[in-house]
Amino acid sequence: MYQDFKNHLEEELSNIVSAGLYKNERVIVSPQGAKIRVADGKEVLNFCSNNYLGLSNHPALKKAAADALETRGYGVSSVRFICGTQDLHKQLEASIARFFGTEDTILYAACFDANGGVFEPLLSEEDAVISDALNHASIIDGVRLCKAQRYRYANADMDDLENQLKTSQAQRFRLIVTDGVFSMDGNVTPLDKIYELAKKYNAMVMVDESHSAGVVGETGRGVTERFNLRGQIEIITGTLGKAFGGAIGGFTTGKKEIIELLRQRSRPYLFSNSIPPMVAAAGIRVFKMLDETNKLQDKLHENTLYFVDSMKAAGFDIKPTESAICAVMLYDAKLSQDMANRLLEEGIYVTGFYYPVVPKGQARIRVQISAAHERAHLDKCIAAFTKVGKEFGVIH
Ligand SMILES: *Cc1c(COP(=O)(O)O)cnc(C)c1O
């Protein structure tokens, strides 16, 4: 049997290679940060991580993790409801709820699990999920696991959302679900308009704050802060794997009855291990830090503004962004790869994206800004883009 299957796999793999979609992993031999060392020993400036607040290698988090390693051990060897709930897990859940202004929180091993386990326990075939077309893969998979009727609206298109809401009026409960920030363009979901439509058509709202938490809003509380909707949204999901230290872990936070039912019925919560004490302790430290000071959020906002303005001034075509994601539009797939490779030679690590990750003819280089970047790093990146952009005739 395996010989046939092996042939089949080899064919699949060679199809991926010939479509130019084979993903090679670049090996990094340093901690995550503004500067990273890659396996060949070269040091490069990193502009493609989700380390938005520069916390991935922060001394305070490492200390909190090390202390918890000593006092609570390495792992808990249990799901939460058997013997896997430490004081740290409860404290982290409370910290997350305070951060978002919500009633309660449930932790998961990842946001992929939070999204995978949120729809099925809450909604059934009488209900409707109305989902933005560009929502994250984990939302799409989560929706597939539930029996609710599925509706889809074009990215951030409020006329289309209104149509879907009208069509779904026969259903018992309606849940609109959206990413807070869409990762390819960096645009923020129009949550104010979504909220109004939800009121008008009697629906609930869920927002995945993975790319927006820590980033969007004056104090980085995400899109609910940006649109003055703290405490108004029924469900928020998010990750500890991006702005909040970048290790592992996800959460759902929101109305307390929803969280309570998820603790009883959500399968990735019930049937998967608790997050390690180190991760919980470092998470608590992150939210304490973000409560005490707005320094990192302010620096991230300043850095992003500076970078985007400078790139526009240099003549680049930049997608409108309200996040720390800056899409440098090149439109041509090969150009996006060639330019990213050339930038790496200049010591700037960025990623080019093209179809099917983005629509055909919409290839780009995505730059992600971090509070870990100093002005000199940004200037070096802008200078490299300008030099390479001129070489390729993208700017003049
Ligand atoms: C990154 C991301 C996730 C997955 O988060 P993990 O914690 O890494 O599983 C889910 N949703 C969105 C919108 C994301 O950007």
Side-chain angles (χ1 to χ4, degrees):
M1 181 86 214
Y2 190 65
Q3 190 53 49
D4 286 348
F5 191 58
K6 181 171 183 254
N7 295 343
H8 163 74
L9 295 181
E10 281 169 352
E11 197 184 317
E12 287 284 299
L13 286 164
S14 74
N15 288 342
I16 296 173
V17 173
S18 52
L21 297 175
Y22 194 88
K23 294 183 229 13
N24 285 298
E25 297 173 4
R26 191 161 268 122
V27 178
I28 292 157
V29 294
S30 67
Q32 185 60 271
K35 240 187 233 164
I36 51 173
R37 188 179 298 279
V38 289
D40 65 8
K42 198 175 160 188
E43 242 190 22
V44 296
L45 290 181
N46 185 9
F47 283 89
C48 55
S49 85
N50 304 313
N51 182 23
Y52 293 126
L53 294 176
L55 292 173
S56 303
N57 190 37
H58 194 285
L61 270 58
K62 291 201 284 190
K63 167 95 175 36
D67 288 349
L69 183 62
E70 283 306 315
T71 60
R72 297 291 186 286
Y74 174 64
V76 292
S77 306
S78 173
V79 298
R80 285 287 298 276
F81 80 95
I82 299 180
C83 57
T85 298
Q86 291 180 335
D87 51 349
L88 296 175
H89 297 98
K90 301 302 285 180
Q91 286 165 26
L92 177 56
E93 287 173 340
S95 302
I96 292 170
R98 248 192 331 273
F99 185 82
F100 287 98
T102 45
E103 294 174 0
D104 199 4
T105 305
I106 176 173
L107 291 173
Y108 290 85
C111 187
F112 208 105
D113 290 327
N115 287 334
V118 70
F119 301 101
E120 186 264 342
L122 299 176
L123 302 172
S124 69
E125 53 276 337
E126 305 153 85
D127 306 318
V129 181
I130 308 163
S131 181
D132 188 290
L134 289 191
N135 278 342
H136 190 262
S138 55
I139 294 177
I140 295 168
D141 285 8
V143 170
R144 278 188 190 142
L145 293 171
C146 93
K147 295 198 174 71
Q149 307 302 310
R150 299 171 205 165
Y151 300 82
R152 210 167 78 131
Y153 63 97
N155 178 228
D157 183 332
M158 293 299 99
D159 293 332
D160 197 8
L161 173 58
E162 183 159 15
N163 285 334
Q164 304 305 322
L165 281 162
K166 283 179 185 159
T167 336
S168 62
Q169 283 303 302
Q171 262 77 54
R172 179 181 60 169
F173 301 124
R174 278 161 295 286
L175 178 65
I176 304 167
V177 53
T178 178
D179 280 10
V181 161
F182 296 93
S183 65
M184 285 299 140
D185 287 6
N187 57 318
V188 167
T189 192
L191 196 65
D192 51 345
K193 303 201 180 78
I194 291 174
Y195 183 73
E196 272 171 37
L197 286 172
K199 287 239 133 128
K200 184 168 171 195
Y201 292 97
N202 200 24
M204 299 177 287
V205 180
M206 164 175 155
V207 48
D208 178 341
E209 295 263 26
S210 289
H211 275 290
S212 41
V215 176
V216 173
E218 206 171 300
T219 66
R221 264 60 174 173
V223 293
T224 63
E225 178 185 17
R226 162 75 180 74
F227 293 108
N228 281 319
L229 287 169
R230 273 170 71 76
Q232 304 296 304
I233 298 302
E234 282 79 12
I235 302 172
I236 292 173
T237 59
T239 181
L240 300 175
K242 291 187 170 107
F244 300 138
I248 191 86
F251 55 84
T252 300
T253 188
K255 299 293 181 199
K256 66 179 195 302
E257 301 76 14
I258 291 176
I259 305 304
E260 193 176 350
L261 189 68
L262 291 176
R263 268 191 224 286
Q264 300 304 313
R265 297 252 174 89
S266 180
R267 293 163 68 85
Y269 181 81
L270 291 172
F271 300 107
S272 188
N273 206 24
S274 291
I275 62 168
M278 289 179 284
V279 171
I284 294 166
R285 191 68 189 82
V286 170
F287 292 105
K288 183 161 179 280
M289 190 188 298
L290 299 181
D291 257 353
E292 287 165 357
T293 160
N294 212 48
K295 220 172 62 194
L296 296 173
Q297 298 93 313
D298 289 344
K299 189 167 172 207
L300 176 61
H301 293 154
E302 268 166 41
N303 279 354
T304 309
L305 257 178
Y306 178 76
F307 183 81
V308 170
D309 285 351
S310 307
M311 289 289 282
K312 281 183 184 160
F316 285 103
D317 177 3
I318 308 291
K319 278 258 180 193
T321 177
E322 277 192 89
S323 64
I325 290 166
C326 172
V328 183
M329 298 307 294
L330 299 166
Y331 304 97
D332 182 74
K334 184 166 183 307
L335 177 61
S336 71
Q337 300 308 296
D338 291 348
M339 218 171 126
N341 289 335
R342 191 57 198 92
L343 282 161
L344 191 63
E345 288 170 16
E346 294 289 319
I348 304 296
Y349 187 14
V350 286
T351 320
F353 291 101
Y354 56 100
Y355 182 81
V357 180
V358 294
K360 271 212 172 91
Q362 292 283 310
R364 69 200 60 189
I365 288 177
R366 181 178 72 174
V367 180
Q368 289 175 287
I369 303 299
S370 166
H373 292 130
E374 300 303 337
R375 187 55 67 91
H377 299 141
L378 300 174
D379 284 336
K380 191 170 172 220
C381 182
I382 295 155
F385 259 100
T386 306
K387 178 179 171 192
V388 172
K390 282 179 181 160
E391 279 174 26
F392 283 89
V394 173
I395 54 167
H396 302 287

